[in-house]
Amino acid sequence: MGYYEDVTVSYIGGNGFNATFLTDIEISPSVKLTSIKITGTKAKMKVLINSKVAKSTYVKFKVDKKTKKIKTDKNGFAAFKLNPGKHTVTAYYKNAIVKKTINVPSLVLNSVKVKKSAKKVVLTVKLTKKLKNKVIKFKFNGKTLKVKTNAKGIAKATFKTSNLKAGKKLTYSATYLKDTVKKTVKVSK
């Protein structure tokens, strides 16, 4: 399937029929939304049209009830802001439509690097709103800590580590109310 313009179709005739004609044929394009990335209230998603990255292409998006045209960047990503919560995102390109449901968490968890020799790992969470004294539950490598946010909506948890093996993948997460963000890190030498 794809979208083609100015396709010429001809028939040379036969069996008593003489026919030659020119026409345009339009075949519906296929649209996909992939590689969804959410950082705080900023969302990015890659647009594929007929399995190819849609670079610098205007695509119409309907987010919940608001509709607007967004131009993708050189890597095919369309970017927009979303408040925390569940959202229905619909993309329109020509006569193709695709829908995605996106959940925007109310917290941002930092990415960490962990070395084999590390004695501690510090996890940091920032709420999308500056809320003080909110409890954040951190988990790292099977251990759990609960920490309250400061006036800026930030909470930090320090986990002591030992006997880490290079190459091992560790899972860590942070939870606020019903929102949980999970990440993994590979222990380096």
Side-chain angles (χ1 to χ4, degrees):
M1 296 292 286
Y3 180 81
Y4 305 90
E5 294 179 340
D6 299 325
V7 176
T8 301
V9 179
S10 62
Y11 171 61
I12 61 173
N15 294 328
F17 294 96
N18 292 317
T20 299
F21 60 93
L22 302 175
T23 187
D24 291 343
I25 293 179
E26 184 176 298
I27 301 174
S28 297
S30 63
V31 178
K32 289 183 180 178
L33 301 176
T34 64
S35 305
I36 298 170
K37 299 177 181 180
I38 299 171
T39 306
T41 57
K42 294 179 181 178
K44 289 176 68 176
M45 56 180 63
K46 184 174 283 187
V47 181
L48 301 179
I49 298 174
N50 298 330
S51 301
K52 293 182 179 179
V53 175
K55 300 177 182 179
S56 302
T57 304
Y58 281 100
V59 179
K60 186 169 75 173
F61 282 90
K62 183 179 180 182
V63 181
D64 299 325
K65 294 182 180 180
K66 294 182 179 180
T67 303
K68 63 179 177 179
K69 279 190 175 182
I70 298 173
K71 188 177 181 180
T72 59
D73 64 16
K74 64 180 181 180
N75 297 311
F77 279 97
F80 39 84
K81 288 186 177 182
L82 294 173
N83 292 322
K86 284 189 177 181
H87 300 274
T88 300
V89 177
T90 307
Y92 302 85
Y93 182 76
K94 297 191 185 292
N95 58 341
I97 302 172
V98 63
K99 284 186 179 182
K100 284 277 185 184
T101 300
I102 299 176
N103 183 45
V104 179
S106 55
L107 68 161
V108 179
L109 175 62
N110 70 317
S111 295
V112 295
K113 292 181 179 180
V114 180
K115 289 187 176 182
K116 179 183 175 182
S117 59
K119 300 298 180 185
K120 65 179 181 179
V121 173
V122 180
L123 301 183
T124 304
V125 153
K126 183 177 182 180
L127 298 180
T128 53
K129 291 184 179 180
K130 294 179 181 179
L131 300 174
K132 187 179 179 180
N133 292 326
K134 301 300 178 182
V135 177
I136 308 296
K137 184 168 74 173
F138 292 91
K139 286 187 178 181
F140 179 82
N141 200 25
K143 299 176 183 177
T144 302
L145 289 175
K146 290 183 179 180
V147 181
K148 288 186 177 181
T149 57
N150 61 19
K152 294 182 179 180
I154 296 172
K156 292 185 179 183
T158 302
F159 291 86
K160 292 181 180 179
T161 58
S162 61
N163 301 319
L164 296 175
K165 294 182 179 179
K168 184 179 179 181
K169 285 187 177 180
L170 304 176
T171 301
Y172 62 101
S173 66
T175 301
Y176 171 62
L177 300 177
K178 294 182 180 180
D179 286 337
T180 298
V181 176
K182 291 182 180 180
K183 292 189 177 184
T184 57
V185 61
K186 189 174 182 180
V187 179
S188 60
K189 292 181 180 179

